[in-house]
Amino acid sequence: METQDLRKAGLKVTLPRVRILEILEEKHGTHMTAEDVYKELLKHNDDIGLATVYRVLTQFEAAGIVSKHNFEGGQAVFELDRGEHHDHMVCVETGKVIEFVDPEIEKRQHEIAARHGYELEEHSLVLYVRPKRKK
Amino acid sequence: METQDLRKAGLKVTLPRVRILEILEEKHGTHMTAEDVYKELLKHNDDIGLATVYRVLTQFEAAGIVSKHNFEGGQAVFELDRGEHHDHMVCVETGKVIEFVDPEIEKRQHEIAARHGYELEEHSLVLYVRPKRKK
DNA sequence: ATGCCTGCAAAGCTTTTGCAGATGC
DNA sequence: GCATCTGCAAAAGCTTTGCAGGCAT
């Protein structure tokens, strides 16, 4: 019931916001740029401006509904945030994105921050990988 | 002997390149935007254009002399790359950047890539931290 | 001398913003 | 009805590029 998510975030339930949320759900597991979302909306014949897509995605991020990543290359990408944290592995040849979690790495990050007198607030880990070539 | 580094990279030893390299060495350990480097050049009364700073930093990156990071917020930052790999911890309150290396995390990254049939080419790990508050 | 560099200004791209009209509650 | 929201177009910010002259070798 996605309209709940919107209300909870203090956002009015408007057509653009609902549509964008639908797109993100439909494409769950992928990482979309604002432009990708916009093009998808056009396909669905929704008359929503690119500026609105940016505005809505930014609000969603603030509300914790989506998370935003800055991989390499100008455009930021967004994905639905279902609470399950994970990191990313990006194939430099195909652009494919794989998600993963490693408890040990997570743990050590906290330890490292603590060792320097800090609390870990957030982190960003991206592995840039290449298909293993067969010998 | 920095002129060697330039020659080795197939770059002519020109005044702008030498000056920029000097600035980076002088500020070693910090992370500068192209604009920061530019402003520093102005302070030293060097008449070098911002476009050149971008061009030179890009060439340096290609040559492995500097590395470029995309922390949060539009501007990319550069730092001298002395071969010693490390990751970064950014304080969200003060903007302070701390460098660190954790062999265990490095090791697990390779394992994770391998487990998915990839070779680790590169990676980017940034911890966003906040000073631990005293109780 | 020649080909690689540089400065300047203009263009390019992604993202943000101002404003008048539209829409949700 | 009123505040919030949206579309459009224009602006903004970072970075790149075209071009004519300048410099290293």
Side-chain angles (χ1 to χ4, degrees):
Chain A
M1 194 76 295
E2 56 235 6
T3 61
Q4 304 297 342
D5 297 332
L6 292 176
R7 280 190 226 283
K8 214 182 307 171
L11 298 172
K12 281 190 182 170
V13 179
T14 63
L15 196 134
R17 304 218 252 237
V18 172
R19 285 278 187 277
I20 290 173
L21 204 41
E22 282 174 1
I23 301 270
L24 290 172
E25 265 162 3
E26 182 186 318
K27 301 279 180 183
H28 190 211
T30 72
H31 300 73
M32 311 181 77
T33 63
E35 191 101 27
D36 289 339
V37 174
Y38 178 60
K39 287 204 214 111
E40 203 60 29
L41 287 166
L42 290 185
K43 260 194 233 164
H44 292 229
N45 278 85
D46 287 314
D47 208 356
I48 297 175
L50 178 57
T52 299
V53 174
Y54 274 104
R55 269 186 293 231
V56 170
L57 288 174
T58 303
Q59 294 157 347
F60 283 6
E61 192 199 2
I65 298 174
V66 307
S67 44
K68 178 180 177 184
H69 305 287
N70 294 293
F71 297 160
E72 315 233 297
Q75 267 144 127
V77 296
F78 299 83
E79 68 176 327
L80 217 51
D81 183 353
R82 285 271 172 258
E84 10 66 19
H85 161 78
H86 56 254
D87 293 308
H88 297 95
M89 189 167 357
V90 182
C91 177
V92 296
E93 285 188 5
T94 65
K96 186 176 175 192
V97 179
I98 297 171
E99 306 182 341
F100 70 89
V101 189
D102 184 292
E104 180 66 21
I105 290 183
E106 302 288 323
K107 190 177 116 211
R108 294 191 76 94
Q109 289 180 353
H110 279 93
E111 290 171 2
I112 291 163
R115 190 181 312 146
H116 287 81
Y118 290 95
E119 282 172 28
L120 185 59
E121 181 101 338
E122 269 247 53
H123 77 261
S124 149
L125 171 59
V126 184
L127 308 184
Y128 295 96
V129 300
R130 181 181 298 284
K132 201 183 291 179
R133 48 172 186 285
K134 313 163 169 78
K135 312 249 171 71
Chain B
M1 193 77 293
E2 56 235 7
T3 62
Q4 303 297 342
D5 298 331
L6 292 177
R7 280 190 224 283
K8 214 184 304 171
L11 298 171
K12 280 190 182 168
V13 179
T14 63
L15 195 133
R17 305 220 252 236
V18 172
R19 284 280 187 274
I20 291 173
L21 204 42
E22 282 173 2
I23 300 269
L24 291 171
E25 263 161 4
E26 182 185 319
K27 301 279 178 182
H28 191 211
T30 72
H31 300 74
M32 311 181 78
T33 63
E35 190 102 28
D36 289 339
V37 174
Y38 178 61
K39 285 202 214 114
E40 204 60 29
L41 288 167
L42 290 185
K43 260 193 235 165
H44 293 227
N45 278 83
D46 287 316
D47 208 358
I48 297 176
L50 179 56
T52 299
V53 174
Y54 274 105
R55 268 186 294 232
V56 170
L57 288 174
T58 303
Q59 294 157 347
F60 283 6
E61 192 199 1
I65 298 174
V66 307
S67 45
K68 178 181 176 184
H69 305 287
N70 293 293
F71 297 160
E72 315 235 295
Q75 267 145 126
V77 296
F78 299 83
E79 67 175 328
L80 216 53
D81 183 354
R82 285 267 172 260
E84 12 64 21
H85 161 78
H86 56 254
D87 294 309
H88 297 95
M89 189 168 0
V90 181
C91 177
V92 295
E93 285 186 5
T94 65
K96 186 177 177 193
V97 180
I98 297 170
E99 306 182 341
F100 70 90
V101 189
D102 184 290
E104 179 66 23
I105 290 182
E106 302 289 323
K107 191 179 115 208
R108 294 192 77 94
Q109 290 178 355
H110 279 94
E111 290 172 4
I112 291 163
R115 190 181 313 145
H116 287 82
Y118 291 94
E119 282 173 27
L120 186 59
E121 180 101 338
E122 268 248 53
H123 76 263
S124 150
L125 170 60
V126 185
L127 308 185
Y128 295 96
V129 299
R130 181 182 296 287
K132 201 183 293 180
R133 51 172 182 288
K134 305 145 175 96
K135 310 250 172 70

